Structure formats: C-alpha cells, structure tokens
Amino acid sequence: MPVVNYNNNIRNAQRPGISLKESQDFYKTWAADYDKDTKNSDYNGPRATSTLLLKLFKGKTDVRILDVAAGTGMSGEALHEVGFRSLDALEPSEDMLLLAKGKDVYGRLIQDFLGTNRLDIKDGEYDATVMVGGMVEGHVKCDCLEELIRVTKPGGFVVICMREVNLRKVEEYHKLEPRMAALQREGCWEMVARNVFPNYCEGEEGVIFVHRVC
C-alpha cells in the first residue's frame, strides 16, 4: 500500500459536508499557497492527464482545449509542457484564476461555475475538455456532464481525472458512473478509457475517464 501523506489545506478544501460556497471562500485564503501544497503532496493528476491526452490525439497538438476547474493553472502548465498551445481556462475562483493568468499558458480566462448553467461558450467549441481535480467534496457535481459534452466537438474528448476513492467516499460521485453510462445509452458520448493509476495525490490512486462525444 502507498504511504498517504495528507496535507491540511487539501483536506480542509474538501472536508466532508463542505458546501460549494465554503470551498470557494477557502480558496480566497489558500490560493497563494495552492501550488506549493499540491506539489509537496505529489500531485500527479495534471501530468498523467496531459500525457494521456497527447496519446489520444496521436501526438497532434494543434487542437483547442478547455481546462475546466483550472485552479491556478497546474493542468494548463502540464498541457503546455507536452506541446498543447491553444488552451482556455474555466475557473470559478477569481483568486485562483488570477494566478492561472500569471502562468501565461491560456488564451481566454472564463470565471464561472460548471454545472447545469449554460456557459458563455459556443456549442462544439473545443476538441477536448479536461477536468483534473474538480470532482471533490463541495466542488463540481455530476450534473455538469451535459455541459461538458455540449462545448466539445463531435468526435472530441471529455477527460475527467479524479481521486479514485472519491467514487466511493463522496456520496455525490456514487452517481457519476451510472450517469456516464446513461449518457452513453442516450447516444451523447462513448467511453474510450477508464484508467486507474497510482500516486494521483498524497499517495492515493487516481482514475481518468475518457469519453468521445457523438
């Protein structure tokens, strides 16, 4: 079993029962230390996701990508490092988005929540939508999947990376895989991959879901 080294700020941002408002208020105080804390906790989700996305596009990098729940831009940096250049960021926290802007890897910066609300993004705008670490307690819910599909081109990819344990630990995500399967039955997308990998963050396993939009 891997050694799990928990970080207090990471734990507090996703404590059981935390509300969306509480989690967003917490980022106002944590934003400045977010990168340091996550890097010290061996946060490998962004790197694992960017590597997989490069394989999905068979090395092609001239594609448009939306980084969802972009935070301070760690996933954007990882995507940029493997060659992707057309990146936009979606993030609800003004403080986190300001830090993401400073990474200088994004074009458009969109401050908004992902949920059932319609984003200020045209249908089929992106070749891929990527969300790394957004599915934790008090953050993005399962009702966001339709909007991810809407803004992704037919044939494009929706990629979601998260702690594998949250599928069992967080009540909201008990619904995630059943909802993914329902959307496949409805002809909205098809599953390409479900990859479990070690050392996502703090020594815990991660899982990456990949779906191709129909």
Side-chain angles (χ1 to χ4, degrees):
M1 293 289 292
V3 176
V4 179
N5 297 307
Y6 290 128
N7 176 278
N8 286 336
N9 281 329
I10 294 175
R11 296 291 105 190
N12 288 335
Q14 50 191 273
R15 62 176 170 78
I18 191 170
S19 69
L20 179 60
K21 182 181 185 304
E22 288 171 330
S23 69
Q24 294 307 302
D25 285 344
F26 185 75
Y27 284 119
K28 293 177 182 178
T29 61
W30 186 30
D33 291 326
Y34 180 87
D35 283 12
K36 174 178 63 68
D37 287 348
T38 51
K39 287 176 181 176
N40 288 344
S41 299
D42 293 326
Y43 183 37
N44 296 304
R47 182 172 57 188
T49 304
S50 61
T51 300
L52 178 58
L53 197 65
L54 191 63
K55 291 180 180 177
L56 289 170
F57 283 112
K58 300 178 180 178
K60 180 182 177 183
T61 57
D62 58 337
V63 295
R64 295 200 66 204
I65 299 172
L66 178 65
D67 181 11
V68 178
T72 62
M74 293 183 75
S75 291
E77 285 184 299
L79 290 163
H80 192 270
E81 285 174 7
V82 298
F84 295 108
R85 294 293 182 267
S86 185
L87 307 171
D88 291 343
L90 174 70
E91 166 60 38
S93 168
E94 181 179 2
D95 299 87
M96 300 285 271
L97 198 60
L98 184 61
L99 292 169
K101 181 180 180 180
K103 301 290 175 64
D104 208 23
V105 296
Y106 296 111
R108 189 180 179 199
L109 298 164
I110 307 164
Q111 187 183 349
D112 204 347
F113 289 96
L114 176 69
T116 57
N117 54 300
R118 185 180 178 91
L119 299 168
D120 183 24
I121 299 172
K122 292 185 291 187
D123 293 357
E125 182 79 9
Y126 295 98
D127 298 287
T129 49
V130 175
M131 177 164 56
V132 183
M135 287 196 159
V136 295
E137 184 90 36
H139 289 62
V140 179
K141 295 184 177 181
C142 300
D143 61 12
C144 74
L145 300 180
E146 287 88 341
E147 188 65 359
L148 291 176
I149 291 168
R150 183 187 70 79
V151 302
T152 306
K153 295 177 182 177
F157 300 104
V158 176
V159 181
I160 297 172
C161 180
M162 61 186 289
R163 288 180 194 260
E164 193 275 338
V165 70
N166 282 356
L167 295 171
R168 303 180 299 279
K169 183 178 178 182
V170 180
E171 184 176 358
E172 172 66 24
Y173 304 130
H174 295 173
K175 303 179 289 186
L176 181 59
E177 291 188 273
R179 185 58 192 146
M180 287 175 168
L183 288 168
Q184 178 157 318
R185 289 193 299 271
E186 293 167 16
C188 299
W189 64 9
E190 59 181 3
M191 176 171 278
V192 174
R194 182 192 189 277
N195 297 340
V196 176
F197 64 96
N199 298 320
Y200 166 82
C201 186
E202 298 177 314
E204 294 186 334
E205 289 186 331
V207 58
I208 305 179
F209 297 98
V210 181
H211 290 82
R212 181 183 288 109
V213 174
C214 297

